[in-house]
Amino acid sequence: MMEADVESNIDRLDREEIIAQVFYSAELNRDFYKSVYSSQKEIDVIGEISRHIAVLLRKIIKEEGMTDNYKASDFVTVFRIGLTYTMIDNLFSHHPLDYDVIADRVNSALHFTLSNHTSEE
């Protein structure tokens, strides 16, 4: 599922649309993701999901002209885990936010982070 949302769309949709698609898919498949996350002990579910998110984040870094150095690597590592836990947290929330609200927040955080990075250079 996540591969279809990210990798299949990476050259077709812009990053905001892909992020919205990821959270829409999570919302649409809420029961599946909750079941897998709760029941899987042999598979690192967070790791599996976050690997797909990392593909998107590496593309964003490249598009932004950021070098693939340790800072970029740290950004990908931290942001992919944070984004994945944001998704999981919303799935288990008693009052989940709509996918578009979360996608807007993620996109806002991305823009904030990237604009602050470019202003430091």
Side-chain angles (χ1 to χ4, degrees), residues 1-2 9 14 20 30 33 35-36 39 41 45-46 49 59 62 66 79 85-86 90 92 102 105 109-111 118 121:
M1 275 187 242
M2 198 61 57
N9 289 316
D14 66 32
R30 173 181 306 276
Y33 280 110
S35 171
V36 168
S39 66
K41 304 302 178 219
V45 176
I46 297 296
I49 293 171
K59 182 175 188 332
K62 185 177 178 182
M66 298 165 66
F79 209 87
Y85 272 108
T86 298
N90 194 60
F92 284 92
I102 296 177
R105 288 180 179 177
L110 261 174
H111 287 292
T118 55
E121 294 184 322

Side-chain angles (χ1 to χ4, degrees), residues 9-102:
N9 289 316
I10 201 109
D11 293 320
R12 202 170 61 77
L13 301 175
D14 66 32
R15 61 183 170 216
E16 288 87 359
E17 292 172 309
I18 293 173
I19 289 169
Q21 180 62 38
V22 164
F23 283 99
Y24 174 73
S25 179
E27 185 175 297
L28 191 65
N29 298 292
R30 173 181 306 276
D31 292 338
F32 169 76
Y33 280 110
K34 284 175 70 173
S35 171
V36 168
Y37 182 77
S38 296
S39 66
Q40 281 299 325
K41 304 302 178 219
E42 302 84 26
I43 297 171
D44 178 9
V45 176
I46 297 296
E48 290 298 317
I49 293 171
S50 71
R51 276 189 268 291
H52 296 289
I53 301 301
V55 170
L56 174 61
L57 294 173
R58 286 189 194 98
K59 182 175 188 332
I60 291 169
I61 287 172
K62 185 177 178 182
E63 287 174 350
E64 293 292 323
M66 298 165 66
T67 56
D68 192 14
N69 58 25
Y70 71 93
K71 285 183 180 179
S73 179
D74 289 347
F75 165 77
V76 170
T77 299
V78 171
F79 209 87
R80 74 184 178 122
I81 297 297
L83 198 150
T84 303
Y85 272 108
T86 298
M87 177 193 319
I88 298 297
D89 182 61
N90 194 60
L91 292 175
F92 284 92
S93 174
H94 294 294
H95 304 287
L97 298 173
D98 288 338
Y99 79 92
D100 54 337
V101 172
I102 296 177

